[in-house]
Structure formats: C-alpha cells, structure tokens
Amino acid sequence: MTKWNNSDIYRIARERMVETQIKARGIKDSRVINAMLKVPRHLFVDEALQEQAYGDYPLPIGEGQTISQPYIVALMTEALELKGTERVLEIGTGSGYQTAILAELALWVYTIERFYKLSKRAQKILLEVLGYKNISFKVGDGSLGWKEAAPFDAIIITAATPEIPKPLIDQLAEGGRIVAPVGSEYSQTLIKGIKKGGKLYTTPIEEVRFVKLVGAYGFKE
Ligand code: SAH
C-alpha cells in the first residue's frame, strides 16, 4: 500500500497546476516551469486555505491583499527573461510567493512591501522555513524604488499602477525589462517594457486585475 503524506499530495497538486494552468496556456520557459514545480505555494497562504493554494485563482493573504493566480505569476516571470545573473526588484512582496519564484531564477531579489505584517510573514517563510539566501527585504513605498541597490536588470510590479513610476524607469539598467499591470483601479493591461538608449519601449501582454499600488507614483489610499 502506498502511504501518502501531505507533501506528496501538494507535489501532485503542483504538477497538475503546472500542466493545466501553466503549460497548457503557453508558458514555455523551462526555468520558470521548474521553479513553479519546486516552490511550495501552499506555505504562502493561511493554513485554512492551503488546500486551495494550487487552484486557478488568487487567494486572500490579509490586509485586503491577495496572492496572485499561479498563471499570472508564471506569465510575468517569463516576461522578465531571467537567466540567473540578474538583480531583480519586486514591488509588492505580499505573500512572498512571487519572491520565491524570482529567487529561484535570478542572482538577487530586492523586494519592497508597504505592510510591515506581510513583509515579516514573507521573511519568515522565505528565510527561516525555505532558507533562501539571495533576498533583501524593505518595508515602504516601492513606487520610489530602491535607489541604493539600483540599477536593476529586471523590475516587477505586482500591484496595479496608473503608469509605470518614473523612479523605477530611472533605476532600470540599460537593456533591462520591467513588467507591470498598468491602468485604472479596476482593470489593467499587463505591460512589458524594455529600456533602450535610456528610453522605455512598451508592449501589452494581456488584460489583468490586480490590487492597487498605493504610493507616491501609484494610487491614493
Ligand atoms: N506578489 C504578491 C502580490 C501581492 S498583492 C503575491 O503574489 O503574494 C500586491 C502587494 O503590493 C500587496 O501586498 C500590497 O500591500 C503591496 N503594495 C501596494 N502598494 C505598494 C507600494 N507602494 N509599495 C510596496 N508594496 C505595495
């Protein structure tokens, strides 16, 4: 008789998530696929929600915020074109799940969260439980970026913004990629930007809905 334990069950749920939600919808980067197979997403939500962690939807994480749908995490990460040498800036740590995926794929991740409580919980899981050693955390307004650590090879904004904050464009390296949901509070277009000759060239990816970026270059509270 096979004995099943929770980690087997979550591994199987993760494999199914990757087949039906990630690969079936066209995500091709094998490094992104492997990271999504590896990172235990259920650890980033409350115990009561763990069985839903591999479902095809966002989930609440407290403070009125959400952990993004798995497919959206994969789509945004693939657009950053990470090879393993990059220094990445993430705005909106939230649960820390996207942070873990980035830490698997880049050299170093700098992540900023507005809520102290969410940042602390993410730090606990990422540093103490999972043992990542390539993540720096900051609590504050990520729309201002992280000047001391700039320039970044890739920047990801995981909250809706009316426009890409200027400090973030300034802190993006030449040739760097930025991915962000840009639009109104209620609907946005996922945008990919590449910086060339000091200028950002953007292309739309798809329609999305995120919680809002609240800050100097985002929305008002
Ligand atoms: N990547 C996260 C997404 C969380 S939702 C995950 O999948 O879990 C977006 C997060 O952005 C929220 O936690 C919210 O508090 C945070 N946020 C909103 N405005 C911000 C700002 N100006 N600076 C930093 N974080 C911000």
Side-chain angles (χ1 to χ4, degrees):
M1 262 272 295
T2 316
K3 250 187 131 193
W4 296 94
N5 60 36
N6 271 348
S7 65
D8 287 330
I9 288 164
Y10 287 127
R11 181 178 46 76
I12 291 163
R14 205 151 52 236
E15 284 168 5
R16 187 179 324 151
M17 170 191 87
V18 166
E19 286 304 322
T20 62
Q21 302 171 35
I22 309 299
K23 286 193 193 167
R25 292 194 188 125
I27 302 297
K28 293 201 167 59
D29 186 331
S30 61
R31 297 182 75 242
V32 174
I33 290 168
N34 287 334
M36 306 263 325
L37 281 172
K38 180 175 171 190
V39 176
R41 181 171 162 97
H42 60 281
L43 298 183
F44 294 87
V45 298
D46 272 1
E47 225 163 310
L49 294 174
Q50 285 194 343
E51 285 179 12
Q52 294 180 64
Y54 298 96
D56 196 11
Y57 35 72
L59 287 168
I61 55 170
E63 311 292 338
Q65 309 303 319
T66 54
I67 176 172
S68 300
Q69 180 191 2
Y71 168 65
I72 294 296
V73 172
L75 186 66
M76 292 177 86
T77 308
E78 186 173 61
L80 293 177
E81 300 173 40
L82 302 173
K83 303 284 179 265
T85 57
E86 300 82 2
R87 299 166 70 260
V88 182
L89 176 65
E90 178 191 36
I91 314 303
T93 314
S95 67
Y97 175 67
Q98 169 82 70
T99 319
I101 298 291
L102 296 170
E104 290 288 338
L105 299 173
L107 181 67
W108 203 275
V109 183
Y110 296 84
T111 185
I112 310 176
E113 169 57 51
R114 199 178 148 234
F115 288 105
Y116 175 84
K117 213 172 129 189
L118 294 181
S119 179
K120 277 289 160 233
R121 196 170 60 195
Q123 287 179 42
K124 191 159 189 244
I125 301 159
L126 291 165
L127 305 179
E128 291 173 33
V129 180
L130 297 174
Y132 285 102
K133 298 206 164 26
N134 59 341
I135 307 171
S136 303
F137 297 84
K138 183 164 161 169
V139 175
D141 179 5
S143 77
L144 301 170
W146 193 326
K147 216 173 169 185
E148 311 77 56
F152 302 99
D153 305 299
I155 300 179
I156 179 170
I157 309 178
T158 68
T161 179
E163 57 190 0
I164 296 182
K166 181 161 186 309
L168 300 183
I169 301 173
D170 293 342
Q171 292 173 30
L172 188 63
E174 179 65 19
R177 284 83 58 204
I178 185 163
V179 178
V182 178
S184 73
E185 231 181 287
Y186 304 104
S187 82
Q188 309 95 33
T189 306
L190 199 59
I191 297 284
K192 174 175 180 173
I194 302 184
K195 193 167 168 181
K196 283 184 192 146
K199 205 177 165 301
L200 197 69
Y201 294 87
T202 60
T203 46
I205 304 178
E206 71 177 62
E207 297 307 301
V208 288
R209 182 158 182 192
F210 275 80
V211 297
K212 61 186 180 180
L213 182 80
V214 176
Y217 290 83
F219 292 99
K220 300 286 160 272
E221 194 131 15

